[in-house]
Amino acid sequence: MTTQRTSPSSTARRNETSRRAILTAAFELVQEVGYVKLSIEGIASRAGVGKQTIYRWWTSKGAVLFDAFLMLSEHPDGGGSALPDTGDLEADLKAVLRATVAELNDPRYDEPMRALNTEITHDPALAALYSERLDGPMRELKKQRLRNAQQAGQLAQDLDLDVAVDLLWGPLLNRWLQRSGALTPDYADNIVETALNGLRPRH
Amino acid sequence: MTTQRTSPSSTARRNETSRRAILTAAFELVQEVGYVKLSIEGIASRAGVGKQTIYRWWTSKGAVLFDAFLMLSEHPDGGGSALPDTGDLEADLKAVLRATVAELNDPRYDEPMRALNTEITHDPALAALYSERLDGPMRELKKQRLRNAQQAGQLAQDLDLDVAVDLLWGPLLNRWLQRSGALTPDYADNIVETALNGLRPRH
């Protein structure tokens, strides 16, 4: 009887294949059954792996789902995408916020993103991880676009860019999470215009 | 043997006493054990009533908690409180947003409010009820204060007051829910100033 030796690189490849199958399964399954009914058993069954394989790498379904989001946010070139910069700040922000609206309204993302937000709401450790790995890098891209505009004199010189990001994206995320109104492209445009111009009259 | 007859009014009083005991128990218990571990059994035990009493009036722990919030939001005079109106819009808004920050940071409210938001995120029917019974009336009070300012020429005449409310309160709620930064009085002030003046320079 011969034993077949596995080279380290083929083990790594197999692990990576399993990992991707598990994350894809988690992301698809939560869309179908909702987060409350999502289970490690269900993910394992759909991914075609044993439960123990999942528990070797993750401690909870929330942790699996978080890594599924990380995988989806990976870019082929290894970095995030910069926001569009045509020189027309208002048009660029409208395009980006409309894309956010489209993503939040996409039924494939709606339930998984609500699930992730629920976990973050109740778990400060996961919130810190989310801030560091997902929200932080995205926020930096947003601030970079605003910084360019600020240097071009299009934004107030004493503007706090974190507050600016919150004013632009906070209302969208809050309306989506609280379901307090329709999330439409017009709403995105209106937020951009009102945030840029301010509530006070401009003379 | 005499049977003691109960008058309708004393039954109503007893029901109201039980109802308040149940709602108070639910609100206190969720602070102690968190929403995931909150149960109808636990609420019944703390309120000193049978489980069936709760199931007669509510279908789920989320519904009990929702009514607990409604009870807390009741005002003795039967109506909501108008926002302060000293004529100084910026100062009034800062006072109100600072109060919101204090409430969101209050450990007595933190867990129950996160729980309510989680339910709303995943339950469109509860979201509609929340919008109609709790958020809607509060939003109307906010819009009324802004409308007064608009009529006094302090806000842009073409301003969409719903968008204005979202710009002022959305960032706070989103920062609190996503734990994306410290929720401080300074942050509240900064949001008010930036929303009123806008991101663009004022000349």
Side-chain angles (χ1 to χ4, degrees), chain B residues 59-75:
Chain B
T59 53
S60 68
K61 66 180 182 181
V64 180
L65 199 62
F66 181 80
D67 274 357
F69 271 93
L70 269 185
M71 181 177 76
L72 284 171
S73 73
E74 283 166 8
H75 287 267

Side-chain angles (χ1 to χ4, degrees), chain A residues 181-192:
Chain A
L183 209 54
T184 61
D186 278 354
Y187 179 74
D189 289 355
N190 208 334
I191 290 288
V192 170

Side-chain angles (χ1 to χ4, degrees), chain A residues 44-72:
Chain A
S45 162
R46 190 182 191 106
V49 303
K51 268 190 344 184
Q52 286 317 310
T53 303
I54 298 185
Y55 282 120
R56 205 167 64 213
W57 291 325
W58 294 280
T59 53
S60 68
K61 66 180 182 181
V64 180
L65 199 61
F66 181 80
D67 275 356
F69 271 93
L70 268 184
M71 182 177 76
L72 285 170

Side-chain angles (χ1 to χ4, degrees), chain A residues 91-113:
Chain A
D92 290 349
L93 287 176
K94 284 180 178 175
V96 173
L97 263 71
R98 279 170 171 249
T100 301
V101 162
E103 189 177 286
L104 293 173
N105 282 327
D106 186 333
R108 286 174 303 164
Y109 291 97
D110 184 79
E111 180 65 26
M113 286 191 300

